[in-house]
Structure formats: C-alpha cells, structure tokens
Amino acid sequence: VVVVVVVEQDFKMKGLDYTKKMFCCTIVAAILSSPITVHAQGWVNITIYHVNELKFPPIPINMDTGDLRGDMYFDMRGAMLPMECRIPSPKTATDCKNPEATGQNLTLNKLILEVDPNFGPYGRCNICVNGTDHNGDNNCTNGKYICNCGPEKGAPVACTGPVGRKNITAEATGEGSCAPGAPNWECWRENTARKTGGMWYSTVESGYNKTWRVAELVRRVDKKCSDNAIYTAVEKGNPDCFKACGNFRNTSSDCWITCFYDTVLGPYAKNSTNISGLDMSILEKAWDSPFQPVTEGGCPPL
C-alpha cells in the first residue's frame, strides 16, 4: 500500500494520472522487484523519446529509447517501410514485423530519465511476434518485450542492470548496404543515420530504480499527430516536389516517399553517401514540436 501511494503521489505531482490498471500494475510490479535505492552521486539526466503501442506503458521497462536525434532516426526511417516491406525477406523482417513501427495505436513518448552514467552493452529490445524477437530468441512469449545483449548473430544473452548505450552513426553506417544497384531505401536508411546521428539507450527491468529511474514523463502523444508535424515541416521544404504527387498526402506512394527523402537527405542520397537536404535545426524543431504547449501547436497528451 505504501508503494502504491508513493508512486501515485509522485506522478500526480507532475500532473499525471496513473490510476489506470495497466500502468499501475506495471509500475508497482517493477518497484516491488527492484526496490528504490538511494540516488547515487554522479547520476545524470537524459531526455529520451520512444515509440510504442498504446497498450504498453510509456515507462521504458525492457524497451529501447533514443535521444532526440537517435529516435528521429528510428522514426524517419519508418517513412520508407512501404517500399522496404513490399518484398518481404529475412533482412527486412526486423523493420517490417516490428510492432513499434507497424503496430496499431502507436504513441510517441518523451521522458526525462535519471541514469547511472556507467553504461553497459546496448540491449536490442523487441516485442516477441510469432515466437521470435528477430534478434535470436525464437522461443519467446508473444506480446512480451525481450532484450538481447548478445552479438547480432549469436545466441541470445540476457541484459544485466546497467543502462545500455549505442552510437547510431557508428552502428548504422557500418552496414555498407548503400552500394551500386542497391534499392533506394537501403541508401536512405544508412544516410538517415549519417544525417541525424544520435544515441540509443536500453533500459531493462533489472536496473529499474537501481541504475535508472523516471524523473519525469513529459508527455505521451498520438504518433499520427507527431507524424503530421514532421511531414508538414518536410513538405514545406520542397513544395513543388510534393505537389507533383497529388493534392492529398499519400505516405505509401513512391512519389511521396521519394520526395520525403530527397528533401530530408538531398536528391543524391538515394544512390550515394552524398547528403544534403534540410538543415537539422528544422528537423529538430519539427520533431520536438508535438511536446510544446497545445496552445502553441503541440499535440494533446494521451
């Protein structure tokens, strides 16, 4: 009872209502399994973003998150999915069967975490779908988040408590997929990482309130609202190109997708590493705009 009261009061101080059963149960269960410890000297605040389905809580237990640029990379590469997933393959399964990219009722969350800066290996945390997390665990429970801290091609290794961290530029640009004759989306994916850079983080249950805790849930918004903010900013950057695609926004059409990446990355990024496009300050402003006050155009909280 004491734990529930403390948690409820803590979040109500921040103007949040976590009396809903699925949120309350998740928070309380995590706290009971990971008792609150004295806040260690030297912990730092990081602002993180992440996408997940509304049925899951915004607190990133056994989930991956990113700083502004890191999560921008994750989300912006989602614009290419209609082209990438047109011909399914084992290579595209991680993206095309990822509920955080293709699921229903997606949300975008912004939080401030307090973390122990002694980072550990990054955990690839995915939702188990049809018995696999597409990271090596092929005997997982459907609908459950699974984190794997092992090598990309190897047996699954459970993650320990430290917050994991990965540099997106170093990771994504080392694939070498943007080669002559590669599909446009292969180059766009690598070049988006080159453009945005950023960091990804993994926060596992065994480290909750030991190596990381939530300082503030800034806001949770409908991803359709946040997508609209980003798409509008990009379309303003190249109106003639998008106008040629028709009077209505069709994010599944090759025309719209090509205009999107030509505007963000420049026209040569589809078949080379020659990157230009919109200034990052424009993209950063658009990315964070959903979390501005609603009276200033921000998205309403969920």
Side-chain angles (χ1 to χ4, degrees):
V1 175
V2 174
V3 172
V4 176
V5 171
V6 170
V7 172
E8 194 171 42
Q9 286 180 345
D10 179 53
F11 280 94
K12 284 185 176 179
M13 286 175 64
K14 299 177 176 65
L16 305 171
D17 182 5
Y18 275 85
T19 57
K20 289 185 178 181
K21 182 178 179 181
M22 65 177 179
F23 292 159
C24 181
C25 291
T26 300
I27 296 167
V28 172
I31 290 176
L32 290 176
S33 62
S34 302
I36 296 175
T37 59
V38 176
H39 205 55
Q41 185 178 7
W43 280 31
V44 297
N45 283 8
I46 58 173
T47 299
I48 56 96
Y49 304 77
H50 74 104
V51 175
N52 67 358
E53 293 178 281
L54 182 62
K55 65 183 179 181
F56 293 104
I59 297 177
I61 296 175
N62 293 335
M63 299 180 192
D64 293 328
T65 64
D67 61 11
L68 187 146
R69 289 191 171 204
D71 210 53
M72 185 190 297
Y73 160 65
F74 173 83
D75 194 60
M76 282 192 170
R77 75 181 191 180
M80 69 187 72
L81 288 181
M83 296 176 74
E84 178 183 352
C85 303
R86 194 167 293 157
I87 303 176
S89 71
K91 183 176 182 178
T92 63
T94 301
D95 290 334
C96 301
K97 295 185 178 181
N98 182 359
E100 291 185 341
T102 62
Q104 301 297 313
N105 299 318
L106 291 177
T107 68
L108 177 63
N109 309 277
K110 178 179 180 179
L111 302 92
I112 298 173
L113 303 184
E114 294 174 347
V115 304
D116 182 336
N118 295 303
F119 296 103
Y122 177 77
R124 302 183 306 282
C125 302
N126 283 345
I127 301 172
C128 181
V129 177
N130 295 327
T132 179
D133 67 345
H134 298 289
N135 280 322
D137 189 337
N138 298 314
N139 192 31
C140 54
T141 302
N142 287 338
K144 182 179 180 181
Y145 271 91
I146 306 295
C147 296
N148 182 358
C149 281
E152 290 280 349
K153 298 179 180 179
V157 176
C159 298
T160 55
V163 174
R165 183 173 66 171
K166 178 170 75 171
N167 183 306
I168 289 305
T169 303
E171 177 75 14
T173 59
E175 295 180 359
S177 299
C178 184
N184 291 350
W185 60 265
E186 290 270 24
C187 290
W188 287 333
R189 181 170 61 183
E190 283 194 19
N191 287 329
T192 299
R194 291 187 175 95
K195 174 102 175 189
T196 65
M199 304 298 297
W200 279 358
Y201 300 96
S202 57
T203 45
V204 296
E205 184 173 358
S206 60
Y208 188 56
N209 286 319
K210 294 179 179 178
T211 61
W212 68 277
R213 69 178 292 272
V214 176
E216 181 183 359
L217 171 59
V218 178
R219 193 179 306 171
R220 182 179 222 193
V221 302
D222 189 326
K223 190 173 181 296
K224 290 189 289 291
C225 182
S226 63
D227 284 347
N228 182 65
I230 296 168
Y231 295 165
T232 299
V234 173
E235 288 167 346
K236 287 180 178 178
N238 196 357
D240 291 341
C241 185
F242 287 100
K243 185 177 181 180
C245 297
N247 294 326
F248 300 97
R249 178 188 292 162
N250 180 2
T251 59
S252 296
S253 75
D254 286 4
C255 181
W256 190 93
I257 295 170
T258 300
C259 284
F260 180 88
Y261 288 105
D262 280 356
T263 306
V264 171
L265 302 173
Y268 302 108
K270 62 171 67 70
N271 50 29
S272 75
T273 56
N274 185 345
I275 304 170
S276 55
L278 288 177
D279 189 85
M280 276 301 299
S281 63
I282 296 173
L283 298 174
E284 289 176 341
K285 182 178 179 180
W287 179 255
D288 201 50
S289 64
F291 302 100
Q292 300 304 308
V294 177
T295 55
E296 299 176 14
C299 295
L302 295 176

